[in-house]
Amino acid sequence: DATFLEDTDHNYYTSKTYGPADPLSKGFWVDIDQMDKDKVKVHGILSNTHRQAARVNLSFDFPFYGHNLREVTVATGGFIYTGDVVHRMLTATQYIAPLMANFDPSVSRNSTVIYTDNGTALVVQWDHVRLQDLDHLGSFTFQASLHRDGRILFAYREVPMDVSQISSVNHPVKVGLSDAFVVLDHVQQIPNVRRRTIYEYHRVELVKTKISNSTAVEITPLPTCLQFTDCSSCISTQISFNCTWCHRLHRCSSGFDRHRQDWVDNSCPDEVRSSPRDGAARADGAAPRVSPGTRPLHTGLILAVVVVMVVLVAGLVLSLYVYHHPTSTTGLFFIERRPRRWPAMKFYRRSGRPAYAEVEPTGLGKDVFMDPDQF
């Protein structure tokens, strides 16, 4: 029951998990029942439906992976979606999940989805919710608190079973965070329509076996490149990212965040590569001369053959790596520069990826989100 530190996913966040015996575990729980009723909203639709999601406006800027959000989408399945475009596959990425699972508030009159915003934090509570077709196992009560300083708190009051044993056949089971960027491509067969392809660039996965009654998780953000607003501070920072400055956008970035589309469209990667490198070339740009006859001719031929073989092997290894790791930095670099006849990376149909519907959806305009399962 002692406090311990999850020593993973330290690029963007650090996380601490508190056991039932730790006083902080109970201190992180927000007692919504004791609040002024005018400040607490029980969402009537979410509390009586299955696989539904509703947008919630924030009264403050909430930094998520370095991006300031003023709106999130609360889902019945125990998670908060943070993306700009609400689509059917909300469980795939861009989420804050204290306990994502196949919860169905409609199976019990006691199940509710509640939230409150006090100006510095949004608290969402899934209260006495039950798993669909497994309501006999008991009810779950837990919270996610989103704070203005970027901290995220998960607090668990009632967890009637081992979370790691919850089935993911009909719905993903996740505890943690995820973010992604969207790339727009024109659909050649349909004029004036663009396809949105989502690339997940980071995920925080917390240990499910540590989640039980009266436990809590504190997730603290680490500095990102996006917080630097001038070239000098951007390129001199000592954080864990390789921050670079794009003069065209006046933006500091590692190249992998939600602004990836702007970064590529404005040729920021080319601007970075064209920057001077220490010791990259001679001042006059000329190659050093080699006197004729200094090496036997056959040595040069052998060297050429070796170089060709090395290039071929490296190319094969690189191709295999990109194929099996399409969301890596290397994979995304080649995918974005692929010829048009190469297939784009897509979400493939998998079991356990349910469709969510939005409560009171808004129009998408001319930009159309292509359902990944239709690719």
Side-chain angles (χ1 to χ4, degrees):
D1 291 342
T3 302
F4 56 89
L5 178 67
E6 299 294 346
D7 208 14
T8 57
D9 303 304
H10 277 63
N11 285 338
Y12 294 89
Y13 291 91
T14 58
S15 61
K16 288 183 178 179
T17 304
Y18 299 89
D22 197 303
L24 282 176
S25 177
K26 296 180 176 60
F28 286 147
W29 181 264
V30 178
D31 195 349
I32 292 181
D33 294 336
Q34 300 301 317
M35 289 186 173
D36 188 340
K37 300 301 181 183
D38 294 337
K39 297 180 180 179
V40 178
K41 180 175 178 59
V42 178
H43 200 288
I45 297 178
L46 295 185
S47 299
N48 292 280
T49 54
H50 179 229
R51 292 184 182 174
Q52 295 282 319
R55 301 195 194 210
V56 175
N57 293 319
L58 303 177
S59 65
F60 56 92
D61 287 332
F62 170 64
F64 183 65
Y65 279 90
H67 306 88
N68 286 330
L69 306 182
R70 290 303 295 262
E71 182 182 73
V72 295
T73 302
V74 177
T76 55
F79 68 99
I80 300 169
Y81 173 71
T82 63
D84 296 326
V85 179
V86 177
H87 52 87
R88 296 175 65 240
M89 318 306 292
L90 300 188
T91 60
T93 184
Q94 293 187 308
Y95 56 74
I96 298 171
L99 180 50
M100 180 192 294
N102 195 20
F103 293 114
D104 184 357
S106 68
V107 302
S108 172
R109 291 185 177 181
N110 294 326
S111 299
T112 54
V113 179
I114 313 167
Y115 61 90
T116 180
D117 183 341
N118 65 2
T120 61
L122 171 74
V123 180
V124 181
Q125 180 170 316
W126 291 264
D127 191 69
H128 292 97
V129 293
R130 294 171 180 265
L131 294 168
Q132 190 182 57
D133 300 327
L134 294 173
D135 56 294
H136 62 279
L137 295 177
S139 64
F140 294 72
T141 299
F142 54 93
Q143 295 177 343
S145 299
L146 283 52
H147 289 258
R148 187 168 58 183
D149 60 3
R151 287 183 306 123
I152 300 170
L153 302 179
F154 296 160
Y156 306 88
R157 170 169 284 185
E158 189 177 19
V159 181
M161 63 177 296
D162 184 347
V163 172
S164 64
Q165 299 301 312
I166 299 177
S167 173
S168 60
V169 172
N170 296 317
H171 194 291
V173 180
K174 302 177 182 179
V175 180
L177 314 176
S178 170
D179 201 26
F181 57 81
V182 178
V183 173
L184 295 177
D185 290 316
H186 288 282
V187 180
Q188 295 179 353
Q189 297 84 353
I190 312 176
N192 301 321
V193 172
R194 292 179 293 178
R195 175 180 60 204
R196 297 174 182 263
T197 306
I198 299 180
Y199 297 84
E200 182 182 62
Y201 65 87
H202 190 263
R203 180 185 297 184
V204 176
E205 295 180 311
L206 301 178
V207 181
K208 298 185 183 73
T209 55
K210 303 297 182 182
I211 305 303
S212 62
N213 293 336
S214 302
T215 58
V217 181
E218 181 181 24
I219 305 173
T220 305
L222 294 173
T224 67
C225 300
L226 294 173
Q227 72 185 56
F228 301 102
T229 57
D230 62 84
C231 179
S232 177
S233 61
C234 174
I235 62 177
S236 62
T237 180
Q238 299 298 314
I239 65 175
S240 59
F241 297 98
N242 181 23
C243 299
T244 53
W245 181 260
C246 181
H247 290 85
R248 292 185 181 93
L249 293 176
H250 296 283
R251 180 180 298 153
C252 183
S253 176
S254 64
F256 291 90
D257 53 50
R258 293 193 179 190
H259 303 304
R260 176 70 177 176
Q261 182 81 49
D262 288 342
W263 190 260
V264 174
D265 288 349
N266 286 274
S267 302
C268 294
D270 297 331
E271 182 179 318
V272 171
R273 282 192 292 274
S274 64
S275 300
R277 306 289 183 184
D278 293 337
R282 288 176 49 176
D284 58 2
R289 293 191 177 188
V290 178
S291 301
T294 54
R295 289 189 179 90
L297 181 60
H298 69 274
T299 303
L301 291 175
I302 294 174
L303 181 61
V305 172
V306 171
V307 169
V308 171
M309 293 298 295
V310 169
V311 170
L312 290 175
V313 172
L316 177 62
V317 172
L318 181 60
S319 299
L320 292 173
Y321 179 81
V322 170
Y323 179 80
H324 291 287
H325 302 82
T327 58
S328 66
T329 301
T330 305
L332 290 172
F333 176 85
F334 283 101
I335 287 172
E336 289 172 350
R337 288 155 180 81
R338 69 187 185 277
R340 286 297 177 184
R341 64 180 179 273
W342 289 14
M345 187 187 74
K346 310 172 181 70
F347 288 136
Y348 294 99
R349 181 182 294 275
R350 296 177 183 173
S351 61
R353 183 164 288 171
Y356 270 77
E358 182 189 3
V359 175
E360 299 176 352
T362 57
L364 295 180
K366 293 183 179 179
D367 288 344
V368 177
F369 186 91
M370 306 295 287
D371 185 349
D373 276 358
Q374 296 176 353
F375 291 165

